[in-house]
């Protein structure tokens, strides 16, 4: 019997899922059990689209199709809860099991606070997350730093601090620290992210702390809720095999998490210092934001931007059809979103004008300008 707080190594019993999974396929096997046992009506996962830089959301009701979504796509930068709300389950009346990075989990909670989603309808299978790389940035990095044609790459992974690619039967790995010093690597919001093990999910799954003969062949599962315990208990012996996590592995996982949190602190300091302080910071943000074409991608994609009537569309604040955009457009967003911004990076990832929106909003949250200017 599994209970909240347990630390477990888990892997798929099915040989095909074991092979296709990133670290033994436990996540896919858990999702399979959730569907087969009708604990949920459907599963939302992420699968490969046209190539490995193209991660697409998948809504799956047939357990046999789950294997197509096995494996980790480190260039997958989707934010799942907003996609569910908008496209998959707008009425939120289905039971869904969903795979979630830390930013997905935070978005679930923020959206639930705003009554956009009902958490009772979800089983959240959290994935530890060291960070993701934007698809276009990944292609550029592989061409320039790895000197490999990005279209030849058949697999990418992040392991022991390296970004590793497989191509033409060969391997090449470069240290992420080195890549990031030269401006490549993870998205800037991911570098600043402090949600490495998503314990707000029902289960937190990852490869950190899996040692010994299970290294690379099992997933470390931290059981974070009774709902998570119920799923893992029910799946054990059916789709999933388990053993208690190695105590040394638990210790190592804790050390890696702490090191990642320190790295997040380093990047916060680094990125925020570059923005200047006080009025100079505000002026810089307004100047950079003046490139905006008011396409609304940042608003549409933001999990905490959900007003029925958006103030940026009111002509008394922002005159329609006028460019450059009135700074009020961005000031309204700062004022409305900064206190609940989860630093998911969507507003930056999808901005066609490459405005560092997430950096600006995240800096407001951590170091509010208003406080400094008063
Ligand atoms: P599988 O059975 O292979 O299932 C993996 C599930 O992940 C599938 O359902 C798939 O749809 C989903 N998925 C794949 N890509 C994404 C994506 N981009 N966003 C959301 N869901 C996705 N673990 C660590 O311990 N440390 C890390 O630093 C770490 N970084 C990660 C970074 C990313 C971007 C991702 C996606 C995962 C990361 N993981 C990390 C988790 C780890 O890679 C495995 O996903 C986990 O151990 C489960 O392995 P598995 O074999 O049980 O999963
Ligand atoms: Fe992972 Fe955090 Fe980046 Fe989300 S914001 S992809 S949880 S590192
Ligand atoms: Fe994510 Fe940007 Fe919204 Fe913050 S403002 S929650 S980074 S989309
Ligand atoms: Fe402006 Fe970029 Fe937002 Fe579009 S996504 S409205 S260009 S800031």
């Amino acid at each position: 019997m599994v209970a909240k707080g347990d630390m477990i190594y888990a892997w798929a019993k099915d040989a095909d899922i074991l092979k296709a999974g990133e670290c033994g396929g436990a996540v896919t096997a858990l999702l399979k059990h959730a569907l087969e046992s009708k604990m949920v009506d459907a599963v939302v996962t992420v699968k490969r689209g046209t190539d490995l830089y193209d991660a697409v959301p998948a809504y799956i009701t047939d357990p046999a199709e789950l294997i197509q979504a096995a494996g980790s796509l480190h260039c997958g930068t989707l934010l799942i809860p907003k996609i569910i709300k908008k496209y998959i389950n707008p009425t939120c009346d289905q039971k869904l099991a969903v795979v979630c990075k830390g930013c997905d989990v935070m978005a679930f909670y923020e959206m639930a606070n705003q009554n956009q989603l009902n958490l009772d309808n979800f089983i959240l299978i959290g994935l530890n997350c060291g960070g993701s790389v934007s698809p276009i940035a990944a292609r550029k990095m592989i061409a320039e730093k790895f000197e490999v044609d990005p279209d030849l790459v058949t697999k990418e992974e992040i392991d022991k601090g390296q970004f590793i690619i497989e191509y033409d039967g060969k391997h090449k790995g470069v240290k992420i620290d080195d890549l990031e010093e030269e401006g490549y690597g993870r998205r800037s919001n991911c570098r600043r992210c402090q949600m490495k093990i998503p314990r707000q999910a029902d289960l937190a799954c990852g490869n950190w702390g899996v040692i010994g003969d299970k290294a690379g062949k099992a997933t470390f599962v931290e059981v974070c809720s009774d709902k998570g315990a119920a799923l893992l208990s029910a799946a054990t012996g059916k789709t999933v095999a388990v053993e208690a996590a190695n105590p040394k592995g638990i210790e190592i996982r804790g050390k890696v998490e702490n090191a990642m949190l320190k790295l997040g602190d380093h990047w916060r300091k680094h990125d925020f210092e570059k923005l200047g302080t006080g009025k100079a910071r505000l002026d810089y943000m307004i100047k950079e934001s003046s490139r905006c074409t008011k396409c609304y991608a940042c608003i549409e994609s933001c999990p905490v931007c959900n007003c029925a009537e958006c103030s940026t569309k009111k002509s008394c604040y922002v005159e329609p059809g006028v460019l450059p955009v009135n700074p009020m457009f961005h000031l309204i967003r700062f004022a409305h979103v900064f206190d609940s911004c989860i630093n998911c990076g969507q507003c930056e990832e999808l901005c066609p004008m490459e405005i560092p929106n997430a950096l600006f909003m995240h800096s407001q949250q951590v170091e509010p300008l208003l406080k400094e200017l008063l």
Side-chain angles (χ1 to χ4, degrees):
M1 197 62 189
V2 180
K4 185 177 165 186
D6 284 356
M7 310 271 196
I8 282 167
Y9 288 167
W11 60 96
K13 289 193 76 180
D14 176 283
D16 292 333
I17 297 178
L18 185 73
K19 190 161 171 244
E22 185 73 13
C23 310
V27 168
T28 304
L30 284 165
L31 296 171
K32 189 161 180 277
H33 181 76
L35 259 189
E36 283 174 344
S37 62
K38 305 207 184 314
M39 282 174 101
V40 294
D41 303 309
V43 154
V44 179
T45 56
V46 174
K47 70 177 184 184
R48 187 174 159 148
T50 49
D51 58 33
L52 55 77
Y53 309 99
D54 180 31
V56 294
Y59 174 86
I60 296 177
T61 51
D62 177 357
E65 282 179 20
L66 278 167
I67 196 165
Q68 295 167 16
S72 297
L73 294 165
H74 296 99
C75 305
T77 57
L78 301 168
L79 193 76
I80 297 175
K82 188 94 184 202
I83 295 172
I84 290 176
K85 169 73 186 157
K86 276 173 94 172
Y87 302 110
I88 301 177
N89 187 16
T91 53
C92 304
D93 57 355
Q94 299 176 56
K95 299 276 183 208
L96 296 177
V98 187
V99 284
C100 310
K101 305 178 300 308
C103 47
D104 293 308
V105 179
M106 288 189 281
F108 265 112
Y109 275 81
E110 284 299 333
M111 291 177 70
N113 277 342
Q114 296 179 11
N115 293 321
Q116 302 290 316
L117 298 166
N118 178 1
L119 284 179
D120 292 343
N121 288 336
F122 295 92
I123 301 178
L124 305 182
I125 316 260
L127 300 176
N128 297 355
C129 187
S132 55
V133 185
S134 287
I136 294 172
R139 283 182 162 275
K140 189 166 180 282
M141 172 176 84
I142 288 167
E144 292 175 2
K145 274 302 286 179
F146 290 73
E147 296 179 334
V148 172
D149 177 352
D151 288 325
L152 294 181
V153 177
T154 48
K155 184 164 168 50
E156 50 72 29
E157 61 178 321
I158 296 181
D159 191 28
K160 297 192 180 69
Q162 289 203 326
F163 189 86
I164 302 166
I165 55 167
E166 281 178 29
Y167 63 102
D168 267 352
K170 294 178 237 169
H171 278 77
K172 205 170 198 174
V174 180
K175 275 177 75 181
I176 292 186
D177 288 351
D178 294 346
L179 290 169
E180 292 183 349
E181 251 168 45
E182 293 181 45
Y184 301 99
R186 298 168 299 159
R187 295 185 293 162
S188 100
N189 63 301
C190 291
R191 295 177 198 179
R192 298 189 303 273
C193 176
Q194 302 274 22
M195 184 59 78
K196 298 293 144 190
I197 299 182
R199 295 187 177 87
Q200 290 89 338
D202 296 302
L203 298 169
C205 307
N207 54 354
W208 289 335
V210 184
I211 59 170
D213 62 345
K214 286 287 176 293
K217 298 180 193 138
T219 279
F220 189 122
V221 184
E222 179 170 346
V223 182
C224 305
S225 73
D226 294 337
K227 218 193 270 182
L231 172 59
L232 187 51
S233 285
T236 299
K238 296 193 176 83
T239 59
V240 170
V242 296
E243 68 182 36
N246 183 319
K248 185 79 193 154
I250 297 175
E251 196 187 318
I252 291 171
R253 177 175 178 263
K255 284 188 179 155
V256 179
E257 183 186 17
N258 280 335
M260 291 301 291
L261 294 178
K262 281 200 186 114
L263 193 59
D265 281 339
H266 159 79
W267 280 110
R268 284 177 184 212
K269 190 164 178 284
H270 173 275
D271 289 0
F272 298 159
E273 268 176 16
K274 276 201 318 198
L275 296 177
T277 53
K279 175 86 170 41
R281 178 178 289 190
L282 185 62
D283 288 346
Y284 175 74
M285 292 195 303
I286 287 177
K287 181 169 164 281
E288 282 291 299
S289 305
S290 68
R291 293 199 301 276
C292 172
T293 55
K294 235 168 57 170
C295 73
Y296 287 97
C298 52
I299 290 173
E300 285 295 310
S301 60
C302 177
V304 296
C305 236
N306 290 304
C307 293
E309 275 188 59
C310 178
S311 297
T312 65
K313 292 182 183 162
K314 291 183 180 157
S315 57
C316 57
Y317 297 127
V318 183
E319 198 182 342
V322 175
L323 288 181
V325 68
N326 186 317
M328 272 306 281
F329 179 86
H330 290 276
L331 292 174
I332 289 170
R333 254 184 66 71
F334 289 152
H336 286 191
V337 177
F338 86 96
D339 58 343
S340 40
C341 169
I342 56 160
N343 183 38
C344 67
Q346 293 299 306
C347 53
E348 192 163 320
E349 179 77 12
L350 298 174
C351 176
M353 301 312 290
E354 300 191 349
I355 299 167
N357 288 310
L359 169 62
F360 293 167
M361 197 68 84
H362 192 208
S363 73
Q364 298 298 308
Q365 189 187 76
V366 180
E367 301 173 354
L369 259 179
L370 210 55
K371 202 173 74 189
E372 209 178 320
L373 290 176
L374 287 177

